[in-house]
Amino acid sequence: MTTSKLYTVNLDSQTAEKLVDEGGSVLVLGLPLGTAFGIDHQVFTIGPLFKGVKMIPPGPHFISYCVASQRSPNDFSPPSGRWIFLKNKQVSVWRFDGSTEELEGIINEDEKERFVEGVRRHDFDSGMAPYDLARLHQWRMLAQFISEPVIKKLSPISGVISVMAEGVEEEEEETIE
């Protein structure tokens, strides 16, 4: 993955406040420093303050990540990602699991609700990047036929889409002679 050029969001305060209040958010916790995290056309290199993306328009979005190697800053894990479908004001919460190197949804409903309320109170705002609205039209053209039922039907059971093939148990392998 390559990182995007820096962008700026020029909005009057009233429009920005409306987007923050009505748009969706993706909160990502625990990503290692240097990891490449993407949503749609945007890619961020994770710094110490990054907590996710806010002001996301409703609809289908693809979140992706390549974990930076702790040994070599130019090495990354193979890219992984998943489709999500955000509604107005929805907060999607993910936590990085270092043992599997995957973003996982928070299962405990009480913990998840505390994070959702924290996003809605703007507790994480200093670490939340605004969605790049300048590229929204292009993304909508690419994703216009992707609905929530399509995402549910075509996503793998785990939800994770990766370039790495899933391993096959030795007993299930066919031998070619």
Side-chain angles (χ1 to χ4, degrees):
M1 265 188 205
T2 59
T3 56
S4 300
K5 293 179 182 177
L6 291 177
Y7 68 99
T8 58
V9 178
N10 296 316
L11 301 171
D12 61 82
S13 62
Q14 188 177 13
T15 303
E17 193 172 310
K18 180 180 178 186
L19 285 170
V20 168
D21 290 341
E22 293 182 8
S25 298
V26 174
L27 180 68
V28 290
L29 305 167
L31 281 174
L33 293 177
T35 294
F37 174 81
I39 181 166
D40 305 341
H41 290 311
Q42 286 180 273
V43 179
F44 302 92
T45 301
I46 303 306
L49 300 178
F50 185 84
K51 296 290 186 231
V53 182
K54 62 184 176 182
M55 300 166 53
I56 305 170
H61 298 281
F62 190 74
I63 58 173
S64 59
Y65 52 96
C66 292
V67 180
S69 168
Q70 300 306 307
R71 293 180 296 234
S72 174
N74 296 323
D75 289 338
F76 291 87
S77 68
S80 296
R82 63 175 61 237
W83 284 97
I84 61 172
F85 195 93
L86 289 177
K87 297 176 174 69
N88 275 348
K89 302 180 182 184
Q90 184 177 353
V91 178
S92 183
V93 183
W94 301 91
R95 178 180 288 136
F96 181 74
D97 181 339
S99 65
T100 61
E101 291 197 349
E102 289 185 5
L103 280 178
E104 298 179 349
I106 295 178
I107 297 171
N108 181 299
E109 287 299 320
D110 291 335
E111 181 182 20
K112 181 179 175 180
E113 190 57 33
R114 285 193 302 273
F115 283 120
V116 167
E117 289 305 316
V119 170
R120 290 188 177 142
R121 283 191 313 266
H122 309 288
D123 293 350
F124 299 98
D125 261 14
S126 64
M128 302 281 286
Y131 185 85
D132 187 0
L133 296 169
R135 294 184 175 181
L136 178 60
H137 176 73
Q138 185 181 19
W139 177 252
R140 287 225 167 118
M141 294 301 293
L142 288 170
Q144 65 184 326
F145 298 110
I146 301 173
S147 63
E148 191 169 15
V150 167
I151 290 172
K152 287 180 181 176
K153 184 175 183 176
L154 297 180
S155 289
I157 293 170
S158 70
V160 177
I161 299 168
S162 176
V163 298
M164 297 298 292
E166 291 184 20
V168 177
E169 295 290 326
E170 280 190 35
E171 297 125 15
E172 296 177 20
E173 288 184 12
E174 292 183 35
T175 56
I176 301 173
E177 295 180 28

